[in-house]
Amino acid sequence: MKPDLREALGARILTGDGAMGTYLYGMGFPVGVSYEEFNVLRPEVIADVHRRYYEAGARVIETNTFSANLASLSNYGLDNEVEAINRAGVQIARAAVGSDAYVVGAVGSIRAGKRKNIGTKQLEHLFSQQIDALLSAGADGILLETFYDLEEALLALRIARKLSDVPVLCQFAVEKEAVTQDGQPLATAFDRLRQEGADVVGFNCRSGPNGILRAIDSIVGDVELPLSVYPNAGIPDYVDGKYKFSATPEYFAESARKFADRGARIIGGCCGTTPEHIAAIAKSLDGYTPQPVEFDAAPQVVQQEQIVVQPAAKPEVSTVKAAAPIGGGSQDEPNIVELVKQRHTVIVELDPPRDLNIQKFMDGAKALKACHADAVTMADNSLAVTRMSNIALASLLQQRVGIRPLVHIACRDRNLIGTQSHMMGLDALGIDHVLAVTGDPARFGDLPDSSSVYDLTSFEMIRMIKQLNEGVAFSGKPLKQKANFITGAAFNPNVKYLDKAIARLEKKIDSGADYIMTQPVYDKDLIVRMAEATKHLSVPIFIGIMPLASGRNAEYLHNEVPGIQLSDDVRKRMAGLEGEEGRAEGVKIAEELLDTALEHFKGIYLITPFMFYDMTVKLTEYVWQKTREKTG
């Protein structure tokens, strides 16, 4: 007989399992179906996944019931299958793994951070129905996972406690912020859950290891409960119609020890993780003896870069000027493609705000205008996180700052109708510089239940935008006038086979791309190799340079963000650096990269980290300083 889960956690660390949904997707099963229905339609498939995780070392096994509630199942016509699917979920897991494993009934958030129209009474019914079915099938515990609000988590916990005294694990989905989505500090939220009878508290989804580590370090106070952590395998990339995750099993092995040192007693994986990730965690923790966690003394809080910035602070701006007139969006000025043929040209990216306050964004744009940046570029809800419309900000930049806006257009958020409408609006506003990108998958952003459209690929997006320049609508019907879009394409040179990436880039140019903007590069040798490999291309390339903000930022980018690869030397230089010291070294590394980039490329694309626009102001000034030195 295995000990009660509570007793087991007092003596050792347990390895949790990994993803179910994304793993099934990776096996070839399509999105848009109910994976929970597989419990009754394809039980052998679900059993095989459980078995693989158990053999990898997992001893806490989640049932395949995350969305097996009436609200979700009714979308697939499965209104009468709630009990059958949940009971089968427990039975399949139990039969697939050894007797030393704990089978916990997985219960996901129903509101998913957004569906406020579902009232308390309805939620009580939905959770009661699902949890009762899991318990009646003999689950060893209940795992409440991917909750965004304390209110909903407490409601589900109270129902579980009313129905049984089995261990209950409560996990929030957060980013780096130290609060739940309904504004409760994590320390307060965890304490409330403890008072209501939770046995374990923790985190899953939304973030990779770096984000969850930061969330743990941000907690001030006495948690008094074991932690459970199930990070995503970094940020997914959408390539050739498939989701791909970047975080390696080796990175998860390193992170597992860090989680254990912070009091985590169940460590597994969420979206994008595989049996290989779980095996790496289990191996890393083999022989690890949990140390007593001192909760009386508050842990050191690691400040987030976003919080450190003082909104009122204005960077000092030099009077160094570029060698040619600076573009500000006027129709009389040369466009970016014409400008970069004349001289070095600098595009700087600023993130649109995630709330309604645009002051810091406008301050940054004014500072970049003052140091003679040629354009400010804005992503289109990057990482699938909701931000202010870049078309609105682009219009404000033209009116208030007088600097040229360059807006990204993601394939993810709009169908063909919405995309053409969006482009027509940009044309009416006189915003003619755009960058066509695929866009990060919606399910991994802050509104995971929203849809990823992807009516168009980035290749097709470029062709359709260029079609507007010919006076032809997406439907093929003639328009009364022609648009004049300067259309860019994205390029990732941080790949194993550069020649294959160049071949893909050539197709984007054939589709009509006027210029190229690259992912950040952190290797001088790669810059040189890329210059040689692209010298035959007919369009200008803007080489991406993003200054690092800290050692943690460097490791996060290297391990969790697709398309970014840091050299060993850069990682060593940034290791352990935080705050102003980290940002200073990040700027220094970026300046060294610029020295090489300026020798080979006239186009420079600076990416502002965490709205630290003083960093990209310094780098813009550095570009003009170096070009003046070269020209005398």
Side-chain angles (χ1 to χ4, degrees), residues 76 125 165 205 399 402 457 509 597:
Y76 303 95
H125 170 70
D165 63 352
C205 209
Q399 297 170 20
T457 66
I509 295 172

PDB file of all heavy atoms in Angstrom, residues 76 125 165 205 399 402 457 509 597:
ATOM      1  N   TYR A  76     -19.232  19.872 -27.997  1.00  0.00           N
ATOM      2  CA  TYR A  76     -19.028  18.756 -28.916  1.00  0.00           C
ATOM      3  C   TYR A  76     -20.222  17.803 -28.918  1.00  0.00           C
ATOM      4  O   TYR A  76     -20.116  16.678 -29.402  1.00  0.00           O
ATOM      5  CB  TYR A  76     -17.763  17.988 -28.511  1.00  0.00           C
ATOM      6  CG  TYR A  76     -16.520  18.841 -28.469  1.00  0.00           C
ATOM      7  CD1 TYR A  76     -16.088  19.412 -27.273  1.00  0.00           C
ATOM      8  CD2 TYR A  76     -15.780  19.100 -29.621  1.00  0.00           C
ATOM      9  CE1 TYR A  76     -14.953  20.200 -27.222  1.00  0.00           C
ATOM     10  CE2 TYR A  76     -14.651  19.888 -29.585  1.00  0.00           C
ATOM     11  CZ  TYR A  76     -14.240  20.447 -28.381  1.00  0.00           C
ATOM     12  OH  TYR A  76     -13.111  21.228 -28.338  1.00  0.00           O
ATOM     13  N   HIS A 125     -22.676  23.791  -9.925  1.00  0.00           N
ATOM     14  CA  HIS A 125     -23.231  22.581 -10.537  1.00  0.00           C
ATOM     15  C   HIS A 125     -22.198  21.892 -11.426  1.00  0.00           C
ATOM     16  O   HIS A 125     -22.024  20.657 -11.364  1.00  0.00           O
ATOM     17  CB  HIS A 125     -24.469  22.929 -11.359  1.00  0.00           C
ATOM     18  CG  HIS A 125     -24.963  21.790 -12.201  1.00  0.00           C
ATOM     19  ND1 HIS A 125     -25.551  20.654 -11.670  1.00  0.00           N
ATOM     20  CD2 HIS A 125     -24.935  21.601 -13.564  1.00  0.00           C
ATOM     21  CE1 HIS A 125     -25.861  19.821 -12.642  1.00  0.00           C
ATOM     22  NE2 HIS A 125     -25.501  20.370 -13.799  1.00  0.00           N
ATOM     23  N   ASP A 165     -12.381  14.050   1.607  1.00  0.00           N
ATOM     24  CA  ASP A 165     -11.201  14.555   2.298  1.00  0.00           C
ATOM     25  C   ASP A 165      -9.917  14.149   1.582  1.00  0.00           C
ATOM     26  O   ASP A 165      -8.822  14.206   2.159  1.00  0.00           O
ATOM     27  CB  ASP A 165     -11.167  14.052   3.744  1.00  0.00           C
ATOM     28  CG  ASP A 165     -11.049  12.536   3.833  1.00  0.00           C
ATOM     29  OD1 ASP A 165     -11.148  11.863   2.782  1.00  0.00           O
ATOM     30  OD2 ASP A 165     -10.851  12.022   4.958  1.00  0.00           O
ATOM     31  N   CYS A 205       1.036  25.881 -16.603  1.00  0.00           N
ATOM     32  CA  CYS A 205       0.665  26.520 -17.873  1.00  0.00           C
ATOM     33  C   CYS A 205       1.068  27.996 -17.908  1.00  0.00           C
ATOM     34  O   CYS A 205       1.731  28.499 -16.998  1.00  0.00           O
ATOM     35  CB  CYS A 205      -0.828  26.348 -18.139  1.00  0.00           C
ATOM     36  SG  CYS A 205      -1.240  26.309 -19.907  1.00  0.00           S
ATOM     37  N   GLN A 399       0.566  61.597 -35.401  1.00  0.00           N
ATOM     38  CA  GLN A 399      -0.018  62.874 -35.030  1.00  0.00           C
ATOM     39  C   GLN A 399       0.781  63.600 -33.951  1.00  0.00           C
ATOM     40  O   GLN A 399       1.034  64.804 -34.049  1.00  0.00           O
ATOM     41  CB  GLN A 399      -1.448  62.661 -34.533  1.00  0.00           C
ATOM     42  CG  GLN A 399      -2.406  62.090 -35.571  1.00  0.00           C
ATOM     43  CD  GLN A 399      -3.725  61.670 -34.961  1.00  0.00           C
ATOM     44  OE1 GLN A 399      -4.092  62.121 -33.876  1.00  0.00           O
ATOM     45  NE2 GLN A 399      -4.451  60.789 -35.633  1.00  0.00           N
ATOM     46  N   GLY A 402       5.347  62.498 -34.694  1.00  0.00           N
ATOM     47  CA  GLY A 402       5.925  62.777 -35.997  1.00  0.00           C
ATOM     48  C   GLY A 402       7.010  61.804 -36.390  1.00  0.00           C
ATOM     49  O   GLY A 402       7.975  62.164 -37.064  1.00  0.00           O
ATOM     50  N   THR A 457      -1.301  32.221 -44.557  1.00  0.00           N
ATOM     51  CA  THR A 457       0.084  32.084 -44.120  1.00  0.00           C
ATOM     52  C   THR A 457       0.757  33.440 -44.308  1.00  0.00           C
ATOM     53  O   THR A 457       0.209  34.344 -44.964  1.00  0.00           O
ATOM     54  CB  THR A 457       0.831  31.028 -44.939  1.00  0.00           C
ATOM     55  OG1 THR A 457       0.928  31.497 -46.305  1.00  0.00           O
ATOM     56  CG2 THR A 457       0.095  29.698 -44.918  1.00  0.00           C
ATOM     57  N   ILE A 509      10.309  36.646 -50.450  1.00  0.00           N
ATOM     58  CA  ILE A 509      10.653  37.726 -51.382  1.00  0.00           C
ATOM     59  C   ILE A 509       9.914  37.535 -52.698  1.00  0.00           C
ATOM     60  O   ILE A 509       9.397  38.496 -53.289  1.00  0.00           O
ATOM     61  CB  ILE A 509      12.182  37.771 -51.586  1.00  0.00           C
ATOM     62  CG1 ILE A 509      12.875  38.139 -50.262  1.00  0.00           C
ATOM     63  CG2 ILE A 509      12.552  38.782 -52.676  1.00  0.00           C
ATOM     64  CD1 ILE A 509      14.382  38.027 -50.308  1.00  0.00           C
ATOM     65  N   ALA A 597      27.509  44.198 -37.085  1.00  0.00           N
ATOM     66  CA  ALA A 597      26.341  44.369 -37.950  1.00  0.00           C
ATOM     67  C   ALA A 597      26.499  45.556 -38.883  1.00  0.00           C
ATOM     68  O   ALA A 597      26.132  45.482 -40.070  1.00  0.00           O
ATOM     69  CB  ALA A 597      25.089  44.528 -37.100  1.00  0.00           C
TER      70      ALA A 597
END
